[in-house]
Amino acid sequence: MSYVEERIMELSNAENRRSQIYKLFNVLQQYNVTALKIDGRRIKVAENHWVNDFASCNYLGLDLDPEMQMDVKEQIIKWGVHPSWCRLVASPYIYQEAEERLADLIGVESTLIFPTVTLISIGVLPALVGKSGVLFLDKSGHETMYEAAKIARDNGAKLESFKQDDFKSLEALLIKHNDNNRKVILVDGVYSMSGDFVSLKNLIKLAKKYEALVYIDDAHGFGIVGQEPTADVPLGFKGNGIVKYHGLDYENIIYVGGCSKAYSSLAAFVGCSYKMRSFLQGFATPYDLSGPCPTASLATLLKGLEINEKRGGSYRSQLWELTQMALNGLRNLGFTVLNNTGFPIVYVVIGDNADLITTANILFRQGILVTVSPYPMVSIGQEGHRITLTAANTKSEVQQLLAAFAEVRNYLCEVGRFGIEMKSEISSVDIY
Ligand SMILES: Cc1ncc(COP(=O)(O)O)c(C=O)c1O
């Protein structure tokens, strides 16, 4: 038996998270799909089979914007395809340009770009808490933060976790570690499965009381939620992130924005003070050990920021309309849909892994691609299909989505499992 065969054997009997997901590779048509061609948000996945894409997080549709596409070539001619220095040594000027524009947009002193949010968490979290600090993790926070927290734990830091919005438990934990002056609370700005927003005002108040920092992973929110929300524009203006949405400043916040979703660019950034920026340049490991963003990504980010100023508002209002159409349609069909914000993440609860697989395959046959979310990616009883909408989707595609979910409903009614109560909640995230 080869090394890899042995490992597969060993892990196929394990009950850990990865093994459970790996087992689905053979039964789910919606995993590891190869796009043979794209036409807007339609993807050719096999001869005579196209699917409508509701799994992309290119929320503003910038990936398909001709202005974005044209600009890449010009920057590549100027800078080469890849600045292959680590950032410690050198960065092309477009890095600085993008960092300054990002800082202006979100209203923070400075920003520091890395290729991904994952790399930021891996570098920044261990640097912030060192050997003796404590990380307080939101159980609904993104798994990449947990992975980064485990690196910090290997260095000696302590980990605690609390349920989303359970500030009473969080306060008890902060009291428990009151004597420790390295405390960092980790949350998502917009939760990646439910589209919920972090209750930032309460959280910041608590963090200030116990002198903790708040690290916000706003991979989804940046580009979509923004300042001064109104009844007519509930997600706010400019897409400048969850901190501005709540009308707060960055005093005790480390803000992390992702550009690979709304801005269709492989880049992410930390928003912080000049002093913190300089500290991270010295101590956040990927800054010196890992490679930089490709030129094309920096070019699309810069162009995206320009397009956001010109047309971002109209893309976001298109997106809002399509999301409302999907939300109302799915709720009218009788599905349980997690979304209380109108954010373009629309999560339909199916509530059982076996039904999830069958319904995922129904959707795929009906020409719909979604992000299938089984246990242990989510809690038991919360297994479901995550639909993400983008400004490049069309109303007719949303109609096809609803028609496909009507088929899912028919199937679940037939087997007598439509609309049954959700089972008990068991958290999918357990770091201990
Ligand atoms: C909330 C959240 N954080 C982090 C990530 C990882 O981002 P990146 O691909 O930039 O590492 C994701 C990816 O989907 C995410 O949803």
Side-chain angles (χ1 to χ4, degrees), residues 27-31 33 42-43 45 49-55 330 333 335 346-350 354-373 383-388 397-412:
V27 288
L28 263 181
Q29 293 168 306
Q30 300 238 12
Y31 278 176
V33 168
R42 286 171 47 71
I43 304 172
V45 292
H49 192 43
W50 286 74
V51 293
N52 293 316
D53 181 4
F54 288 101
L330 289 160
L333 283 170
F335 285 103
V346 173
Y347 188 85
V348 179
V349 179
I350 298 295
D355 283 339
L356 189 75
I357 294 164
T358 313
T359 56
N361 290 339
I362 292 174
L363 289 173
F364 198 71
R365 279 199 300 278
Q366 296 285 322
I368 300 296
L369 186 76
V370 293
T371 304
V372 182
S373 311
E383 299 89 343
H385 300 301
R386 188 182 77 166
I387 296 156
T388 38
E397 286 165 9
V398 176
Q399 275 156 0
Q400 290 171 55
L401 172 84
L402 297 174
F405 269 93
E407 291 294 319
V408 167
R409 182 184 193 279
N410 289 345
Y411 166 77
L412 291 171

Side-chain angles (χ1 to χ4, degrees), residues 126-358:
L128 285 178
V129 282
K131 292 180 194 305
S132 60
V134 195
L135 293 171
F136 301 81
L137 294 113
D138 181 334
K139 283 183 195 279
S140 303
H142 200 255
E143 198 188 343
T144 48
M145 270 190 322
Y146 275 77
E147 292 296 317
K150 286 193 236 169
I151 298 175
R153 183 178 59 184
D154 278 354
N155 294 345
K158 290 194 179 58
L159 308 190
E160 298 279 11
S161 59
F162 62 97
K163 225 172 142 193
Q164 179 188 335
D165 289 341
D166 183 355
F167 295 125
K168 232 171 152 183
S169 302
L170 176 59
E171 183 157 22
L173 292 170
L174 287 164
I175 291 170
K176 177 178 157 193
H177 295 282
N178 204 17
D179 291 343
N180 195 317
N181 56 2
R182 305 263 176 279
K183 295 189 281 293
V184 185
I185 303 168
L186 314 179
V187 289
D188 281 7
V190 173
Y191 292 88
S192 57
M193 285 303 179
S194 62
D196 285 352
F197 298 165
V198 63
S199 308
L200 203 55
K201 285 186 179 151
N202 292 333
L203 184 64
I204 293 298
K205 227 195 244 159
L206 201 57
K208 283 191 175 162
K209 185 169 167 191
Y210 295 96
E211 296 181 349
L213 279 182
V214 177
Y215 177 94
I216 304 174
D217 172 345
D218 204 20
H220 288 272
F222 177 64
I224 304 303
V225 299
Q227 65 188 54
E228 294 155 11
T230 62
D232 288 342
V233 187
L235 300 185
F237 293 85
K238 292 191 177 184
N240 48 7
I242 196 74
V243 178
K244 298 299 276 183
Y245 171 86
H246 286 288
L248 295 166
D249 59 35
Y250 294 87
E251 193 189 328
N252 61 334
I253 289 177
I254 306 290
Y255 177 83
V256 178
C259 307
S260 69
K261 301 186 191 313
Y263 280 88
S264 306
S265 308
L266 184 83
F269 65 94
V270 188
C272 56
S273 64
Y274 292 122
K275 267 192 196 141
M276 179 63 81
R277 183 181 192 277
S278 150
F279 167 75
L280 296 178
Q281 284 177 304
F283 294 95
T285 322
Y287 192 79
D288 52 2
L289 296 184
S290 194
C293 300
T295 307
S297 297
L298 295 163
T300 50
L301 172 56
L302 271 173
K303 192 44 128 185
L305 289 166
E306 200 184 305
I307 293 174
N308 181 50
E309 272 186 29
K310 290 191 280 191
R311 302 194 284 280
S314 77
Y315 286 156
R316 280 183 285 274
S317 80
Q318 252 167 273
L319 188 54
W320 174 262
E321 209 184 315
L322 292 171
T323 305
Q324 290 301 309
M325 189 176 160
L327 273 172
N328 294 335
L330 289 160
R331 285 186 175 137
N332 287 341
L333 283 170
F335 285 103
T336 302
V337 181
L338 305 188
N339 185 309
N340 56 27
T341 58
F343 192 87
I345 291 175
V346 173
Y347 188 85
V348 179
V349 179
I350 298 295
D352 173 85
N353 262 5
D355 283 339
L356 189 75
I357 294 164
T358 313

